[in-house]
Amino acid sequence: CTNGGWLTTPTRTTFNLIRERDTMAQDCIIHTDFSGLDLIASEKPAADLHEYLGKWPGPELYLRRKFEPIQDDYDYILFDCARDMNRLTFNALVISQIVVSPVELRGENSIDALDEIEEAIDGIRSTFNPDLKVHRIAVNLFKARTKLSYGLLDDLRERFPGRVTSTIIPDATKIGESS
């Protein structure tokens, strides 16, 4: 079975990867028709999987053990994690080198939430992963028509100098109006 003709239906997903102690990342990889693009599918939201990580010894290093055998096979391995600092997000940071945090500029709270991520990155860097070096911030759903958005963008750039990506992803008004 395929999805749009380019993705084979997976036999193992992130659910298996996290729930089954002996399932490794290479057991879950789906090779696509796109050169250089492989995926590991998810059948449950990642936010629901973090609770399983606490059931194994050494939960901080659980994903590291699962992904180490394939790390040299890829230039990039992307983890799409929830915004909160749950066990899954923590595990992804333990094996990461670069963190890109998307942020929607809807108020000062959206900028304040980055402080929690910064604190977690500093702790993980000093305890588990000295290779975690870069934290970039990607602004998405930017409302270019409002002064508030530009003010928050200025605040963000001032608070995190040199770390806000130059590409700003605009809010797709037409999509928002259609829902």
Side-chain angles (χ1 to χ4, degrees):
C1 181
T2 62
N3 177 356
W6 64 273
L7 179 63
T8 304
T9 301
T11 56
R12 296 195 174 264
T13 66
T14 54
F15 183 75
N16 302 104
L17 182 67
I18 290 172
R19 291 269 328 253
E20 300 167 4
R21 188 171 181 81
D22 294 329
T23 299
M24 301 298 281
Q26 62 265 31
D27 301 326
C28 303
I29 292 174
I30 302 167
H31 301 287
T32 70
D33 292 342
F34 298 101
S35 177
L37 177 66
D38 294 335
L39 303 170
I40 295 178
S42 179
E43 62 184 293
K44 287 185 168 247
D48 294 343
L49 294 174
H50 75 94
E51 62 196 49
Y52 295 107
L53 289 170
K55 296 180 179 184
W56 304 113
E60 302 85 6
L61 304 175
Y62 190 72
L63 283 184
R64 177 184 280 174
R65 184 180 70 79
K66 300 274 190 165
F67 278 88
E68 268 181 339
I70 66 163
Q71 278 189 308
D72 292 338
D73 297 341
Y74 294 91
D75 294 329
Y76 299 98
I77 298 175
L78 304 176
F79 293 95
D80 183 9
C81 298
R83 291 181 201 160
D84 61 333
M85 287 304 304
N86 62 39
R87 285 187 178 115
L88 186 59
T89 304
F90 189 92
N91 261 263
L93 290 172
V94 167
I95 61 174
S96 295
Q97 295 172 335
I98 299 171
V99 177
V100 178
S101 297
V103 64
E104 298 173 27
L105 296 177
R106 297 182 185 255
E108 198 61 40
N109 290 344
S110 54
I111 297 174
D112 291 340
L114 292 169
D115 290 331
E116 182 182 359
I117 294 169
E118 282 288 303
E119 188 176 310
I121 288 171
D122 289 342
I124 290 167
R125 184 183 297 124
S126 66
T127 308
F128 296 104
N129 183 1
D131 294 331
L132 182 55
K133 303 228 183 297
V134 181
H135 179 209
R136 296 277 185 242
I137 299 163
V139 176
N140 64 5
L141 299 176
F142 184 75
K143 296 184 185 306
R145 296 181 185 176
T146 69
K147 290 181 181 181
L148 174 64
S149 291
Y150 283 100
L152 291 170
L153 181 58
D154 288 343
D155 291 349
L156 185 66
R157 286 180 170 149
E158 185 178 312
R159 196 155 159 187
F160 300 99
R163 303 226 315 262
V164 178
T165 60
S166 59
T167 301
I168 305 295
I169 302 168
D171 184 23
T173 305
K174 295 289 181 195
I175 293 172
E177 291 173 355
S178 69
S179 49

